[in-house]
Amino acid sequence: MRIAVTVGAVVLLAACSPGGGHESQPTSQPRMSMPAGAPHTTITKPTPTTTSPLPTTAPAPGTPMSRVTKWVEAGTPADPSGFHTATRDGQSTDLGEDIAFVAPSGAARCTTNKYADGQLACLIKADGLPTKPADVEGQWIPGWVDFAGETVDIGSLHGDPGPFATGDGAELPEGKSLAFGDYRCRADASTLVCVNYAHQSAVLVSSSGVEPLGCLKPVPPPVGVGRQLSCAPD
């Protein structure tokens, strides 16, 4: 009997020992904790930005230059290759690197002049154009506009048609913009707006005349010029 009790005790102890056949299973997963001082990730929602819609009509005088430029650039780009020819009395002339175009309203005929550093000149029909000064002699053309970038001369003396001798370029369609040299022009049904990037200046041409945009402002004109706009400081 003593031997049987001893054997039973040994069997019971073996069953309860760590190597006794069945390993205990954990009842729960250990919790993970961030080490002290660890950075926390914060998800920030982007702040929506709002922009002012572009005007549906040409910019008025006093419009900031950035808005003027955006309006002109918003026009559908026209292919410059279609504006290197001028036509007069049915005869076409290849202008080479020069550009010529006509506004849809017919109130402005424009061309560049490679002999004047690619400067833009336009012949316009409008109200309120300057009359011939009393102290000058020669052929006065009130609607001749020279837009050099830093200055705009409106009305001047000319003994010949100059860059307009070869005639008119193609029509710049309404809503399209044409880029050439330092300039980009956009036409609509009644106005033409031309920007000069080099000087951050622009002109608005309409039936009312020529209005300054950007840095341009009225200044006393030189002899032989009816009206001048300039970016020069006072």
Side-chain angles (χ1 to χ4, degrees), residues 149-152 199 201 215-220 228-234:
E150 189 176 13
T151 59
V152 180
H199 295 282
S201 59
C215 61
L216 292 170
K217 59 184 182 297
V219 297
Q228 187 175 74
L229 309 172
S230 176
C231 290
D234 296 331

Side-chain angles (χ1 to χ4, degrees), residues 76-86 94-101 112 169-173 176-181 183-185:
T76 304
D79 185 355
S81 65
F83 298 88
H84 289 298
T85 302
D94 185 352
L95 300 178
E97 60 190 59
D98 276 328
I99 287 281
F101 63 91
T112 60
E171 179 179 294
L172 178 60
K176 288 200 171 185
S177 66
L178 178 63
F180 50 96
Y183 301 89
R184 183 184 287 270
C185 297

